[in-house]
Amino acid sequence: MLNKVPQIGVVFWLIKILSTTVGETGADYLAVHVGFGAAVTGAITAAMLIMALALQLRKSRYVPWIYWLAVVLLSVVGTQITDALTDGLGISLYLSTAVFSLMLAALFAIWYQQERTLSILTIVSRKRELFYWAAILLTFALGTAAGDLATEALGLGFRLGVLVFGSLIGVAALAYRLGASPVLTFWLAYILTRPLGASLGDLLAQSRSYGGLGWGTVLTSLVFLAVIAALVCRISMTNSSNKLPTR
């Protein structure tokens, strides 16, 4: 099986941040504005995620639109898990952040114990791919909890949240450039893109009275989905051209 994770570059991180924003605004739109409610929205997105992951697991190579569809749906479901714990069960964001951190650390420990690597450049077996997708789900749930904790419970707000989490990602990138572990810096940045994307989504979608720009969840979701689709199409065409026979 070929490595089923895309190359890490600017486009990768851009789509990742956009997908986290869609996860934040899309879940809110379906649950509140469409009127499905949290339970029905969760069931719908969970079913779509299962189908997307089943399709992803059947492939023996990286297929851009399938991979990124799974990421977007994982973003939505990860957001819904944290929201259900916070809004539905009244669990403190401090507790959920701590629990998700421990769960992700435990998953990484088991993954490393069995495979001796956490690098996403070596997702070449079914077991490693299952570890990878489980880690992605936990990073979204953890990022949602940590982001809500920072912007809401600690009062950072949307604008400052974008600056803080963007700066932390910059620190991780600088550490990588200075020789820090690429695996460690990747996963740190991956976790931080979730609260960055959520803060960005809230900043754009929320009304001006709540400190946002007033785009609304519909416009924000549509714009970001359109950009994601354009970037994925570009990647797909590039991959196709690279596979053409040459003399």
Side-chain angles (χ1 to χ4, degrees):
M1 188 171 75
L2 300 176
N3 187 44
K4 296 177 67 176
V5 175
Q7 292 183 343
I8 309 304
V10 175
V11 174
F12 175 91
W13 290 113
L14 181 57
I15 299 177
K16 172 61 171 62
I17 294 172
L18 293 173
S19 68
T20 63
T21 304
V22 170
E24 181 75 10
T25 58
D28 291 343
Y29 173 72
L30 292 175
V32 179
H33 296 280
V34 176
F36 285 161
V40 175
T41 301
I44 292 173
T45 54
M48 294 174 62
L49 174 60
I50 291 172
M51 289 187 288
L53 286 177
L55 186 59
Q56 166 71 17
L57 291 171
R58 289 179 59 186
K59 298 297 180 179
S60 60
R61 60 182 178 85
Y62 165 61
V63 180
W65 75 268
I66 298 176
Y67 174 89
W68 287 111
L69 175 62
V71 171
V72 170
L73 290 171
L74 277 167
S75 175
V76 176
V77 171
T79 298
Q80 290 172 326
I81 290 173
T82 300
D83 288 346
L85 294 175
T86 304
D87 301 331
L89 301 179
I91 295 177
S92 166
L93 288 169
Y94 293 94
L95 179 59
S96 58
T97 299
V99 169
F100 284 133
S101 298
L102 291 174
M103 290 176 65
L104 184 59
L107 177 66
F108 281 148
I110 297 171
W111 183 356
Y112 186 80
Q113 182 183 34
Q114 296 195 14
E115 299 296 322
R116 311 310 298 177
T117 180
L118 300 178
S119 173
I120 68 163
L121 302 179
T122 59
I123 309 299
V124 294
S125 69
R126 177 61 56 83
K127 179 187 290 187
R128 290 186 181 183
E129 189 174 11
L130 291 173
F131 276 126
Y132 174 76
W133 289 114
I136 298 303
L137 178 59
L138 286 176
T139 61
F140 279 124
L142 170 59
T144 302
D148 289 348
L149 175 63
T151 58
E152 297 176 14
L154 299 181
L156 286 183
F158 309 136
R159 297 174 188 272
L160 188 55
V162 171
L163 293 176
V164 169
F165 292 117
S167 299
L168 290 174
I169 292 173
V171 170
L174 178 61
Y176 166 73
R177 293 291 184 183
L178 294 177
S181 167
V183 174
L184 175 61
T185 51
F186 169 83
W187 284 112
L188 287 175
Y190 204 97
I191 294 170
L192 289 168
T193 55
R194 178 62 189 84
L196 172 63
S199 298
L200 179 61
D202 286 335
L203 175 62
L204 296 174
Q206 294 296 328
S207 65
R208 296 182 184 276
S209 60
Y210 284 96
L213 298 181
W215 283 23
T217 55
V218 177
L219 179 60
T220 303
S221 298
L222 290 177
V223 169
F224 279 49
L225 281 173
V227 176
I228 291 173
L231 290 173
V232 171
C233 287
R234 178 176 176 272
I235 295 171
S236 300
M237 289 188 292
T238 301
N239 286 356
S240 298
S241 63
N242 288 339
K243 294 174 184 176
L244 293 176
T246 57
R247 294 182 180 181

